[in-house]
Amino acid sequence: GMKKNGKIKVVILCGGRGTRLGNETDSKPKPMIEIGNRPMLWHIMKIYAHYGLNDFILCLGYQGWIIKEFFLNYVAKISDVSLQLGDKNFATYHTSNDEADWKITLVETGEASQTGARVWNARKYLKDCDIFSLTYGDGVANIDIAALLDTHKKSGLAGTITGVHPTGRFGEMEIQGNLISEFNEKPNVSMGLINGGFMVFNSNVINKYFKEGEDLILEDEVLGKMVKDKQLGVYQHKGFWHCIDTPREYSILNEMWKNNKAPWRVWQENV
């Protein structure tokens, strides 16, 4: 049965290649591009975990094994380790980590699946939650996840998208009050809000708006239908938001991190 306040799971789309990024991502899935010495994906997870959302479903595609490997070896990667070679349980890890309570389900959602298909292919891991968050593996923001969830719950709508003010180039949406009335993924002019990820959905959207088939595109078909049904709301995030699409953006975010001026670092470091 549905728990009244089922746990909110965080679904992250990790299947894409970073085609426009050149060498940095030749053999890496895009979310594994590093800011500092941690993948972009880790940074996104840290934002959610800061707000108490630490049950993750990672939708894998291109080079999914690299992401599996990262988390399978996570503790070893970040800790001091003592090894006793020749002993089955040969490793002792000496460093405690802030991520110890993260629960991560890594789902192979298809090498070439589109965004909507990835969510559909991970649906069995969403059975026990009433609400799920969904975001892209390449965008960070100093977003107030608690306020986003609150906005979603109060709206009574089936889904809520975080609208951000971009630096240019992406799809824009028109809003009336708090309801999205039009949604163009790739417009010619961008003055308005764009879909910055950090979306929230009631779980029943899966059976209502998603369907079988690897060509199902979240942005066109799923969100488009929800807009027609007047079921898609917007949470306006006026603060920092940035994604990595070009080598220049990659440099900007790494520079910010290096200079301790990374606005998306909403969590406290355990130093």
Side-chain angles (χ1 to χ4, degrees), residues 124-229:
K124 71 173 176 204
Y125 302 106
L126 291 168
K127 278 202 171 67
D128 58 343
C129 65
D130 303 335
I131 292 177
F132 66 95
S133 282
L134 173 65
T135 200
Y136 302 106
D138 64 356
V140 287
N142 60 346
I143 181 170
D144 184 339
I145 299 284
L148 163 63
L149 290 171
D150 200 47
T151 299
H152 174 71
K153 286 174 182 164
K154 286 191 173 128
S155 75
L157 299 168
T160 303
I161 277 183
T162 294
V164 297
H165 294 276
T167 41
R169 291 190 332 271
F170 302 90
E172 77 173 356
M173 49 180 99
E174 277 176 39
I175 58 174
Q176 283 160 353
N178 261 348
L179 196 69
I180 299 176
S181 56
E182 208 178 301
F183 194 82
N184 310 305
E185 193 52 25
K186 293 281 182 279
N188 310 323
V189 234
S190 251
M191 294 139 47
L193 294 174
I194 66 152
N195 173 3
F198 299 98
M199 302 170 256
V200 186
F201 296 100
N202 298 343
S203 300
N204 57 8
V205 300
I206 295 203
N207 290 324
K208 191 166 182 192
Y209 293 103
F210 289 78
K211 59 176 198 284
E212 195 60 59
E214 69 167 18
D215 295 337
L216 182 70
I217 298 174
L218 173 77
E219 296 74 14
D220 296 355
E221 297 167 69
V222 178
L223 300 184
K225 274 194 195 123
M226 290 179 73
V227 168
K228 279 202 185 74
D229 289 353

Side-chain angles (χ1 to χ4, degrees), residues 49-62:
H50 176 69
Y51 288 96
L53 275 62
N54 56 9
D55 191 341
F56 300 99
I57 296 171
L58 306 183
C59 297
L60 310 181
Y62 174 70

